[in-house]
Amino acid sequence: AWSGGLPPGLRMRMLHASMPKRETELEIRSTTILALRKGDRVVMAGDGQVTMGASIMKHGARKVRRLHDHGLAVSGSFMFGNDGDGPDVFRQTVDFVLESGLDLAHFGLLTPTPGTDLFRRLDREGRLLYTNFPDDYASYDLNTAAFQPLKMTPEQMEQGLIWATRAIGSVGVAARRAL
């Protein structure tokens, strides 16, 4: 039985942008964009817009644009390696970053930190790759696949992270995003 957190099979992506309130300029203090995925269904919500698949359920997304209008950058953080992630997650995430207008994107691999529910679950499932502590603590660094993902190899996860980071950080992409 599920007892808290996201239901099994759902994946969450979150973007949080914040800034100090300026009395006469902009009333936004922060925003969160949340995306949930189960199988091939995706629901995104944030900025007053809810999107499900190709259908926009509610219009009015303006905060990223308003932040840009006031000279502020928007940053997103993305974690790869959830149970629903396959090798296509890297391309999908890069496409989202490039299409959304984010100024910065931070990527990392899901890391089952010892002592967490995730670590205990992956341990029970026999999916942890590094269990010789304290020597293996260095492998729990957001860049190393510390467990066997369900829909790709650990090598695919690490290489996908490298590819995604390079894809958004290339000179050509950075120049296009700066304009």
Side-chain angles (χ1 to χ4, degrees):
W2 171 61
S3 62
L6 288 175
L10 281 181
R11 178 173 69 196
M12 180 174 70
R13 298 275 189 257
M14 223 165 96
L15 158 73
H16 183 78
S18 61
M19 58 182 214
K21 182 178 177 183
R22 297 179 193 169
E23 287 182 27
T24 58
E25 292 184 18
L26 194 56
E27 294 297 320
I28 300 171
R29 286 181 182 238
S30 67
T31 187
T32 298
I33 297 174
L34 174 68
L36 298 173
R37 175 179 172 181
K38 184 172 185 176
D40 62 350
R41 298 189 69 188
V42 176
V43 176
M44 292 183 64
D47 292 330
Q49 176 172 318
V50 176
T51 304
M52 187 167 182
S55 302
I56 297 176
M57 311 304 284
K58 182 178 176 190
H59 296 276
R62 295 182 301 268
K63 289 183 184 174
V64 170
R65 199 170 33 244
R66 286 177 62 202
L67 290 169
H68 284 161
D69 289 347
H70 289 274
L72 298 167
V74 180
S75 173
S77 297
F78 303 86
M79 194 65 55
F80 300 118
N82 294 284
D83 284 348
D85 288 351
D88 61 332
V89 71
F90 305 103
R91 165 61 66 193
Q92 291 170 353
T93 304
V94 166
D95 288 347
F96 170 78
V97 167
L98 297 176
E99 292 168 9
S100 69
L102 292 179
D103 299 290
L104 299 170
H106 309 277
F107 299 138
L109 299 181
L110 182 62
T111 302
T113 306
T116 63
D117 289 342
L118 176 62
F119 183 90
R120 286 187 286 277
R121 178 175 64 87
L122 294 174
D123 189 31
R124 279 192 313 272
E125 295 172 2
R127 294 170 55 195
L128 293 175
L129 300 177
Y130 302 99
T131 57
N132 181 27
F133 298 106
D135 295 341
D136 284 343
Y137 277 123
S139 298
Y140 289 77
D141 63 0
L142 300 176
N143 296 308
T144 303
F147 68 97
Q148 175 60 55
L150 286 181
K151 296 187 175 183
M152 64 181 127
T153 67
E155 294 78 18
Q156 285 174 307
M157 199 159 72
E158 291 174 357
Q159 290 303 309
L161 174 66
I162 293 167
W163 176 85
T165 302
R166 288 180 179 161
I168 65 154
S170 71
V171 172
V173 168
R176 275 196 318 271
R177 289 168 68 202
L179 298 176

